Amino acid sequence: NVGSQVILFDGSGVDYLCMITSLRNLGATVEVIENKEVNRNRNNVYLCMALVKKDNFELIAQKVTEIGVTHIIPILCEHSEKRKLNFERLNKIILEASEQSGRGDIPIIHEVMKLEDVFTKGILPQEKIVLHPEGDTLRKYMSGLHETNSFALFIGPEGGFSPKEITLLKSYNVPAISLGPQILRAETAAIAISSLLIL
């Protein structure tokens, strides 16, 4: 109704408290009463996520958006069961998750890339890790870091990265990190380690 207040955001990290001043069939006119920058005291996480089944990838995108991941980079791997993504649907899921969680900005979702191409495009931060059951603990890795707030995180598909892909990651000196001896599903691994790195 006219006089009602709503909160709007434009993806830039600012929330706008607005009052509806007029209504019409196809929309409304609002007046900005107050704007507030959303507090983003979190690390930047670039989730380089192998393509998995459609519903699982959508779940990952939704949950890591709520957690605060800043970039989602779909990776085409040798063991990927899926080869394409519905970006229109994925962007809608990400937008709704951003609104629901009140984060004030929207993660950037990149085009699908081959693993080797991610390293050559110059989009990743300096710190990179790959989740692998035989890696060091996250605590040990973090204790040896100089101060940083940006990470690229690589998660493989069901069945993991192929030997060729592991060799490629090693050639770029990407350290392996483990969350324990148990084998996690790709979506569980992505959500769990993203939540640990984001803080």
Side-chain angles (χ1 to χ4, degrees):
N1 297 322
V2 171
S4 297
Q5 293 186 354
V6 294
I7 296 174
L8 305 178
F9 83 109
D10 60 5
S12 67
V14 179
D15 278 349
Y16 300 89
L17 177 63
C18 302
M19 183 172 67
I20 298 174
T21 55
S22 68
L23 288 172
R24 52 190 182 279
N25 287 340
L26 297 178
T29 302
V30 300
E31 177 184 342
V32 176
I33 300 170
E34 179 186 356
N35 57 0
K36 183 177 73 170
E37 189 168 343
V38 178
N39 186 10
R40 282 191 70 252
N41 289 330
R42 63 174 189 256
N43 292 327
N44 296 309
V45 174
Y46 292 63
L47 176 62
C48 303
M49 183 70 222
L51 290 181
V52 291
K53 293 177 183 175
K54 172 191 165 189
D55 291 347
N56 293 354
F57 198 95
E58 290 176 354
L59 173 69
I60 291 165
Q62 179 189 53
K63 296 308 177 187
V64 300
T65 296
E66 293 172 11
I67 290 167
V69 162
T70 49
H71 291 255
I72 301 171
I73 306 173
I75 305 295
L76 182 61
C77 296
E78 289 186 30
H79 295 162
S80 291
E81 297 181 33
K82 188 173 175 59
R83 300 279 154 174
K84 295 181 181 178
L85 289 174
N86 182 340
F87 278 93
E88 183 178 351
R89 176 173 166 79
L90 206 54
N91 277 303
K92 183 178 179 183
I93 289 169
I94 288 170
L95 177 61
E96 289 176 353
S98 294
E99 292 172 346
Q100 182 275 325
S101 60
R103 61 179 280 173
D105 62 350
I106 303 169
I108 297 169
I109 182 155
H110 297 255
E111 63 182 338
V112 177
M113 302 182 203
K114 293 181 179 178
L115 183 60
E116 57 267 29
D117 293 339
V118 182
F119 291 96
T120 59
K121 286 188 177 288
I123 59 175
L124 298 180
Q126 183 175 345
E127 292 297 335
K128 305 170 184 68
I129 59 175
V130 56
L131 202 61
H132 193 278
E134 297 176 8
D136 284 333
T137 65
L138 184 61
R139 184 188 300 273
K140 182 177 178 182
Y141 165 74
M142 297 296 277
S143 67
L145 271 187
H146 297 298
E147 195 166 321
T148 183
N149 67 347
S150 294
F151 301 87
L153 168 62
F154 290 85
I155 306 283
E158 300 295 339
F161 289 112
S162 70
K164 180 181 175 183
E165 289 163 342
I166 292 292
T167 300
L168 177 67
L169 288 162
K170 286 180 178 177
S171 74
Y172 282 98
N173 299 313
V174 180
I177 302 300
S178 171
L179 290 179
Q182 65 275 24
I183 304 299
L184 302 177
R185 293 181 64 91
E187 60 270 27
T188 307
I191 295 165
I193 194 163
S194 292
S195 65
L196 294 172
L197 288 174
I198 211 76
L199 301 175

